[in-house]
Amino acid sequence: MAENTAGAKIKLESPWRNDFPALQTTVHGGKTLAFLDSAASAQKPVCVIEAMDTVLRGGYSNIHRGLYEISQNLSQAYEDVRKKIAGFINAPSQKNIVFVSNATEGVNLVGQSWGRVHLSSGDEVLITGIEHHANIVPWYLLADQIGIKVKVAPLQEDGTLDLQAFEQLINNKTKLVAFTHVSNVLGIINPVKELVAKVRALNPEAKILIDGSQGIVHQSVDVTDLDPDFYVFTGHKLYGPTGIGVLYGKADALESMAPYQGGGDMVDLVSHIKGITYREPPYRFEAGTPPIVEVIGLGAAIDYVQGIGMGVIAAHEYALSKYALEALRGLDGIHLYGTQDLSRKAGIFSFNVDGAHSSDVAVILDQCGVAVRTGHHCAMPLMEMLGVDSTVRASFGMYTNKDDIDALCSGLRKVREFF
Ligand SMILES: Cc1ncc(COP(=O)(O)O)c(C=O)c1O
């Protein structure tokens, strides 16, 4: 047992583990799998698998176009998920919810759709030094396409954002500020509400985008309270399927945006003579047949985590993080990156082992049945700042147990023996 922030006793065994069949998988001739790569993609609970299976086994059809019963039912179920997501993040309406294929598409959509209308040469987009490539490259694409400037707010030595420098980089040329909610490498939770308020105070005209890919997984998110113009996340890290993500946008922002892609379902009228008119948001941004089954799967995932409560999940992860931190600190030769202040960190640990390359560490851990991620984690600028080419990353999900962390530590002891 460990204590959570409120002092309550929390078990280090996940009560939800058996809901995730993939965790029964054994590797390397019968070893239990210690899956510590949830920040890359989470395992799926049975209810998500079954919801998708049910659609595919009966009632599947294309949506929005069929006048027959199964198409109408599925269209309704699909739109119900949009409403559910609005409720999950406390958006004013389901019209604020655009379905995209993942967080990456969400950011690119804002870049190409909002950016191409509202930005011109010399305008500035401010990001930070901790971003995932998904919140870096789309802005450099715009820099190449229309000559905007990308500015980067630096980090402090412990990986947290340098708030003073961040503020100093905001001026009247700043048109958009985009930052992550939680770092996929260091687990650092940005003070997003404070950052939004700072941007609003310094330049009320600037739009704000939060990359919530990791943030949505580890705590409850209220976009009305946080007040960004855009919030993006991806379904597969939230125990849902791949191929589906969400772009939340404020109504005025979405209405001011041109379509991102053209095709079926996003138009009111297409005529070679009269021209083309587009549907209102969010449909204007959803060209072509959408990921229907994946939307249903994401809806089931949201029902699942909401039924448990994001706060309850966060408390479990906090207890595990506390245990993991003590265990990792108890090992020789482990260099942990970023602040280890757990009040501002989700269950994501990046480290290197003295004298061993991260890939060798990951290979040895794999032989012990421990799945971790290694590399630059799509955050090369952060690696540059840390002065390394890669790290080993262990990341937790709601199903992670003390045993997984013990397996990691036992594997790391073997690495130390080997090197
Ligand atoms: C912080 C962050 N942003 C964006 C992404 C991109 O997510 P996706 O590949 O699902 O678009 C990730 C995925 O690792 C992430 O961790």
Side-chain angles (χ1 to χ4, degrees):
M1 303 273 259
E3 300 223 327
N4 75 354
T5 31
K9 295 285 180 195
I10 298 281
K11 282 194 187 138
L12 291 170
E13 270 78 49
S14 164
W16 315 291
R17 188 166 176 105
N18 290 339
D19 294 344
F20 293 83
L23 296 172
Q24 310 299 325
T25 308
T26 54
V27 292
H28 295 302
K31 290 196 176 90
T32 309
L33 172 66
F35 183 75
L36 293 172
D37 196 20
S38 296
S41 202
Q43 298 298 345
K44 319 302 171 202
V46 155
C47 59
V48 168
I49 300 165
E50 283 178 350
M52 297 174 75
D53 186 71
T54 302
V55 172
L56 289 168
R57 283 176 192 278
Y60 176 76
S61 66
N62 210 330
I63 56 164
H64 291 159
R65 291 163 212 171
L67 289 181
Y68 49 92
E69 186 176 356
I70 58 169
S71 175
Q72 297 218 321
N73 288 347
L74 195 52
S75 303
Q76 187 59 53
Y78 177 92
E79 290 303 328
D80 285 348
V81 175
R82 201 190 296 276
K83 214 179 274 177
K84 194 190 304 277
I85 293 168
F88 182 56
I89 60 172
N90 197 28
S93 153
Q94 67 267 27
K95 291 190 180 161
N96 301 105
I97 305 300
V98 183
F99 286 127
V100 286
S101 56
N102 48 34
T104 302
E105 194 193 5
V107 181
N108 277 280
L109 196 162
V110 174
Q112 293 301 312
S113 214
W114 181 86
R116 288 229 167 191
V117 172
H118 295 282
L119 299 179
S120 50
S121 178
D123 285 343
E124 294 179 6
V125 168
L126 175 63
I127 59 173
T128 83
I130 208 164
E131 303 307 318
H132 185 282
H133 294 167
N135 194 26
I136 301 175
V137 183
W139 310 117
Y140 280 104
L141 284 176
L142 271 183
D144 287 344
Q145 289 161 348
I146 54 179
I148 63 155
K149 272 197 191 140
V150 180
K151 296 238 163 146
V152 185
L155 308 176
Q156 305 184 102
E157 242 173 62
D158 67 356
T160 58
L161 184 62
D162 182 335
L163 292 176
Q164 221 180 342
F166 175 78
E167 282 181 42
Q168 280 165 0
L169 284 165
I170 297 168
N171 57 51
N172 60 5
K173 287 197 212 135
T174 312
K175 292 286 156 52
L176 183 112
V177 184
F179 45 82
T180 195
H181 195 162
V182 172
S183 159
N184 64 309
V185 181
L186 303 178
I188 290 173
I189 303 170
N190 262 329
V192 282
K193 194 171 171 180
E194 192 188 331
L195 297 182
V196 171
K198 274 188 198 306
V199 176
R200 299 264 181 251
L202 291 163
N203 182 347
E205 301 298 315
K207 296 285 179 216
I208 300 170
L209 178 145
I210 301 179
D211 174 1
S213 306
Q214 302 290 343
I216 195 95
V217 182
H218 299 287
Q219 67 220 288
S220 64
V221 167
D222 180 333
V223 290
T224 301
D225 180 52
L226 293 178
D227 193 38
D229 297 282
F230 304 104
Y231 191 98
V232 297
F233 64 92
T234 200
H236 65 97
K237 296 183 203 283
L238 188 59
Y239 310 105
T242 52
I244 178 67
V246 170
L247 164 66
Y248 157 82
K250 279 191 176 171
D252 63 338
L254 291 180
E255 275 154 23
S256 77
M257 286 159 55
Y260 166 55
Q261 293 180 322
D265 228 21
M266 46 79 76
V267 280
D268 277 327
L269 176 84
V270 179
S271 160
H272 293 303
I273 299 147
K274 293 184 194 148
I276 300 178
T277 56
Y278 302 109
R279 291 178 72 188
E280 58 176 18
Y283 308 105
R284 185 190 295 171
F285 307 109
E286 295 176 4
T289 299
I292 306 164
V293 183
E294 289 75 10
V295 165
I296 301 299
L298 178 59
I302 288 174
D303 280 342
Y304 178 71
V305 293
Q306 262 192 318
I308 293 165
M310 291 310 293
V312 176
I313 295 170
H316 173 65
E317 287 182 13
Y318 178 86
L320 281 174
S321 294
K322 199 160 178 242
Y323 179 76
L325 182 57
E326 278 161 26
L328 289 167
R329 277 184 169 155
L331 298 174
D332 273 347
I334 306 291
H335 182 89
L336 283 161
Y337 295 101
T339 178
Q340 301 306 323
D341 172 358
L342 295 183
S343 67
R344 52 189 311 194
K345 181 175 160 78
I348 300 175
F349 290 85
S350 264
F351 55 88
N352 273 316
V353 180
D354 286 350
H357 191 268
S358 61
S359 323
D360 297 326
V361 176
V363 169
I364 295 174
L365 288 176
D366 173 52
Q367 292 300 315
C368 304
V370 181
V372 291
R373 180 136 303 227
T374 180
H376 52 64
H377 315 293
C378 295
M380 284 186 190
L382 175 60
M383 294 296 120
E384 272 174 353
M385 180 256 163
L386 295 173
V388 293
D389 67 349
S390 64
T391 69
V392 182
R393 181 186 70 185
S395 56
F396 310 153
M398 59 188 290
Y399 38 67
T400 306
N401 273 345
K402 173 178 173 294
D403 285 354
D404 299 320
I405 295 161
D406 291 344
L408 170 69
C409 292
S410 145
L412 288 172
R413 274 185 216 102
K414 288 214 171 78
V415 172
R416 289 289 290 157
E417 279 162 24
F418 194 85
F419 284 95

